[in-house]
Amino acid sequence: MTSIDLNADLGEGFGRWRLTDDEQLLSVVTSANVACGFHAGDAATMRRVCELAAERGVRIGAQVSYRDLAGFGRRAMDVPPAELAAEVAYQIGALEVFARAAGSRVAYVKPHGALYNRVVHDEEQAAAVVDGVLLADAALPVLGLPGSRLLDLADKAGLPVVTEAFADRAYTDAGTLVPRTRNGAVVTDPEAVVERSLDLARSGEVSSHSGTRIEVRARSLCLHGDTPGAVELARRVRERLESSGIRVEAFA
C-alpha cells in the first residue's frame, strides 16, 4: 500500500496573536512543523504545541528560519554561514526542551519561508543549515524540496533526507515553487488541492503553473496552516487519500 506523511506549519503565533488552528490541525496531520521563535512562535506557544502533538502522537519537527519576525521569515536575508548555523542549532535546541518535557522529541528539521527557498540553490546557505542540524543532532532527518542543494548536502553529511511536496503551492516547470509575489502561486481552490494531493501521492507527479506534468516524488505532503479554511481542507485531503487506499503515516 502507498503511504504518505501529512505535515503542516504550526505554532505560528506570537503572544496573544495566533495564526494557525493548532489543536484542530493536530487531529489531522501526522507531522507538525513547529515555529521556533525566529519567524513566529514564542516559548509558551512552542510548549503548548509540543504538548498537544505529543498527546496525539504527532511527530514534532523544528521549523527553522531566518531571524525575521516582522516579515514572517519570508524576506530574503544574507546571514553569514557561521551565524546561520548557530541560529539553526539554537532553534532546534529551544524546541527540543519543550518536546522532551512533553514526553516526545524533535524528530526532524524543516526550513521555513525565504530560507527554504534559498537553500534550494544556494550552496553556502544550504551548507550552513546542514552544519546547524549537525551541531544540534547528527541523526535528525531534514525535510525539503526534491533536488535541492539542502537535501544533497544533508545526504552527503550523513543526515537522513526526506522529500516533500506542496498540494497548495504552484510549481515551476523546473520543480521549484512559484514565488509568492506571482499570481497563482498559492492554489486556493479546495477541490484542486485535494486532487493535487492524490496525484502527488499516487504518481509522484503534478501539473506545473504552465500546465506541464513534472515529477515531484515526495514522502511527505505539506498543507499550509495559514491557508483560509486550512483545517477543513486538511481533513478533506486526508479523507480522500485514505478512501483511495493510501495510508497516511509519519515518516519519522
Side-chain angles (χ1 to χ4, degrees):
M1 180 186 289
T2 301
S3 67
I4 197 162
D5 170 68
L6 286 182
N7 76 74
D9 301 345
L10 301 177
E12 291 184 329
F14 194 82
R16 296 178 62 185
W17 176 73
R18 293 187 183 181
L19 178 64
T20 50
D21 189 341
D22 300 324
E23 187 164 3
Q24 293 301 314
L25 281 167
L26 283 167
S27 68
V28 182
V29 301
T30 47
S31 297
N33 316 316
V34 184
C36 299
F38 273 37
H39 74 279
D42 54 34
T45 301
M46 292 162 68
R47 181 179 184 182
R48 174 178 56 83
V49 175
C50 284
E51 289 173 347
L52 289 170
E55 287 172 6
R56 290 161 172 76
V58 175
R59 301 299 186 270
I60 297 170
Q63 187 161 43
V64 299
S65 74
Y66 287 126
R67 188 188 293 271
D68 181 28
L69 275 176
F72 195 60
R74 288 179 175 162
R75 297 186 294 190
M77 302 183 76
D78 290 314
V79 181
E83 182 178 336
L84 180 58
E87 292 190 339
V88 165
Y90 178 93
Q91 291 175 78
I92 296 169
L95 188 65
E96 178 70 8
V97 168
F98 299 117
R100 292 282 183 181
S104 185
R105 62 185 176 86
V106 171
Y108 65 95
V109 178
K110 174 185 173 179
H112 164 81
L115 181 59
Y116 187 98
N117 292 316
R118 181 76 171 267
V119 296
V120 170
H121 300 296
D122 191 310
E123 183 100 6
E124 186 177 68
Q125 295 283 281
V129 172
V130 170
D131 287 345
V133 176
L134 290 170
L135 183 60
D137 184 342
L140 278 177
V142 176
L143 182 62
L145 202 70
S148 65
R149 295 304 300 141
L150 173 66
L151 294 194
D152 182 49
L153 292 174
D155 182 56
K156 290 178 179 177
L159 293 168
V161 297
V162 183
T163 54
E164 78 168 334
F166 295 81
D168 54 5
R169 288 294 311 276
Y171 281 85
T172 68
D173 290 348
T176 57
L177 300 179
V178 172
R180 285 180 176 268
T181 53
R182 289 179 53 186
N183 291 332
V186 179
V187 180
T188 57
D189 176 38
E191 188 56 33
V193 174
V194 172
E195 289 301 320
R196 286 164 65 88
S197 299
L198 187 59
D199 206 10
L200 285 161
R202 275 180 167 171
S203 67
E205 293 184 347
V206 70
S207 294
S208 71
H209 195 51
S210 71
T212 303
R213 294 290 290 177
I214 60 172
E215 183 177 86
V216 185
R217 297 200 175 275
R219 178 66 187 86
S220 185
L221 185 64
C222 179
L223 296 169
H224 283 93
D226 61 342
T227 301
V231 174
E232 182 57 32
L233 182 57
R235 287 193 179 121
R236 287 181 59 183
V237 167
R238 179 158 186 165
E239 287 170 1
R240 184 62 177 277
L241 290 171
E242 292 180 330
S243 67
S244 299
I246 297 167
R247 186 170 60 248
V248 177
E249 61 182 5
F251 64 82

